Amino acid sequence: MSRKEILSRLKEQVAKGIPIIGAGAGTGISGKCAEAGGADLLIVYNSGRFRMAGRSSISGLMPYGDANQIVVDMAAEILPVVKNAPVLAGVCGTDPFRDMRSFLEELKKIGYQGVQNFPTVGLFEGRIRQNMEETGLGYDREVEMIRIARELDLLTTPYVFNEQEARDMAAAGADIIVAHVGTTLSGLTGAHSTMDLDEAARIIQTIHDAAKEVNPDVLVICHGGPIAGPKDVEYILEHTNGIDGFYGASSMERLPVEVAIIENTQRFKSLPLSKARV
């Protein structure tokens, strides 16, 4: 599907009261199952590889590999097994070793239909964030990446963390703003410290309102922090206005896998041995 066709389908769905659901795909089976479950978008980024290898998703922000090359490599595993759902690439827009336009053209040629800004400096705070901004590795580079992707007619679904970033991304031509409220809570490798759902709803609403000021047609969905399961998403949708859906990464692949494997193993372990043993 073209970008225009993807957006048309998503907006028709929202008009019917059906939420947009995006899913992180760190493995081929994750992508295949998420599509079978009805995911509207699949997003491939380096955190998925770390997450499904039993490491924290936050590993994707650390120097444990070339994030953009990992996304290129993961295409061969995931794209062939996904039949219809659009697949997006997580792009490190601050990468100083790549010409971003050329790299985005490469991703499009491989078969990715859109992009998201990950790894993102938006998850950094304090002095390190200040130093990144001062040395040419700031969030503005991610905004520029989204602008170029839009020019190349790729679907753009950037993470934003505050009102100003929402305005900047909307002005750059973002199709879907993803209001990010932190690393996902719970599970074996999830965060343990985060805001509550009420605070998340407040922040998500301010991000939504700021983005809509710039582009009334932009779609806005939520992600992260305390929004870990379906009930959490339901709470956010009930306590905000105009939020069009949810994007889950750990929520869609790591947490369900943890529960399924643990419980299944426990069922096998609980089986009694036969009393009539030789």
Side-chain angles (χ1 to χ4, degrees), residues 224-267:
I227 317 171
K231 288 293 184 183
D232 304 322
V233 176
E234 182 179 27
Y235 187 92
I236 294 296
L237 295 178
E238 289 177 348
H239 290 79
T240 54
N241 292 314
I243 301 303
D244 300 306
F246 169 70
Y247 166 55
S250 292
S251 300
M252 302 299 284
E253 56 176 358
R254 175 177 63 82
L255 294 175
V257 165
E258 288 179 4
V259 172
I261 292 178
I262 290 171
E263 291 184 352
N264 195 52
T265 303
Q266 289 172 339
R267 285 195 292 269

Side-chain angles (χ1 to χ4, degrees), residues 31-234:
K32 197 170 187 177
C33 290
E35 181 181 38
D40 300 296
L41 302 169
L42 300 176
I43 301 88
V44 177
Y45 51 40
N46 71 327
S47 270
R49 173 161 289 181
F50 292 115
R51 176 169 51 246
M52 300 310 287
R55 277 69 174 182
S56 167
S57 296
I58 209 75
S59 299
L61 298 178
M62 301 300 288
Y64 304 147
D66 180 341
N68 285 332
Q69 186 58 48
I70 288 173
V71 166
V72 171
D73 295 341
M74 291 172 73
E77 177 180 348
I78 296 167
L79 292 179
V81 298
V82 176
K83 303 305 180 184
N84 298 303
V87 183
L88 284 59
V91 176
C92 181
T94 58
D95 188 341
F97 294 98
R98 282 177 172 81
D99 174 79
M100 196 48 60
R101 183 176 294 274
S102 297
F103 182 60
L104 293 176
E105 289 173 346
E106 176 187 354
L107 293 176
K108 188 173 183 179
K109 185 176 181 180
I110 289 171
Y112 284 114
Q113 293 167 276
V115 297
Q116 186 172 57
N117 57 324
F118 193 91
T120 171
V121 300
L123 283 168
F124 289 89
E125 298 176 351
R127 183 173 295 177
I128 189 169
R129 174 65 179 272
Q130 182 180 352
N131 289 344
M132 287 175 169
E133 299 287 348
E134 292 172 348
T135 57
L137 299 175
Y139 191 83
D140 61 312
R141 294 280 296 274
E142 299 178 24
V143 174
E144 177 64 8
M145 183 273 289
I146 293 296
R147 185 189 66 77
I148 296 170
R150 176 62 186 272
E151 290 178 0
L152 296 174
D153 206 32
L154 287 161
L155 188 73
T156 52
T157 69
Y159 280 139
V160 305
F161 302 84
N162 56 51
E163 296 170 66
Q164 187 57 53
E165 291 171 359
R167 295 188 187 97
D168 291 344
M169 284 298 191
D175 297 308
I176 303 173
I177 295 290
V178 184
H180 196 308
V181 289
T183 302
T184 302
L185 190 70
S186 69
L188 298 179
T189 60
H192 297 283
S193 301
T194 188
M195 65 187 76
D196 61 24
L197 284 168
D198 287 325
E199 177 67 4
R202 185 191 68 77
I203 293 172
I204 290 165
Q205 190 67 60
T206 61
I207 288 173
H208 167 277
D209 296 347
K212 290 284 189 177
E213 287 175 11
V214 176
N215 179 9
D217 293 327
V218 71
L219 295 164
V220 182
I221 63 178
C222 60
H223 170 75
I227 317 171
K231 288 293 184 183
D232 304 322
V233 176
E234 182 179 27

Side-chain angles (χ1 to χ4, degrees), residues 19-34:
I20 297 167
I21 300 298
T27 65
I29 193 66
S30 296
K32 197 170 187 177
C33 290

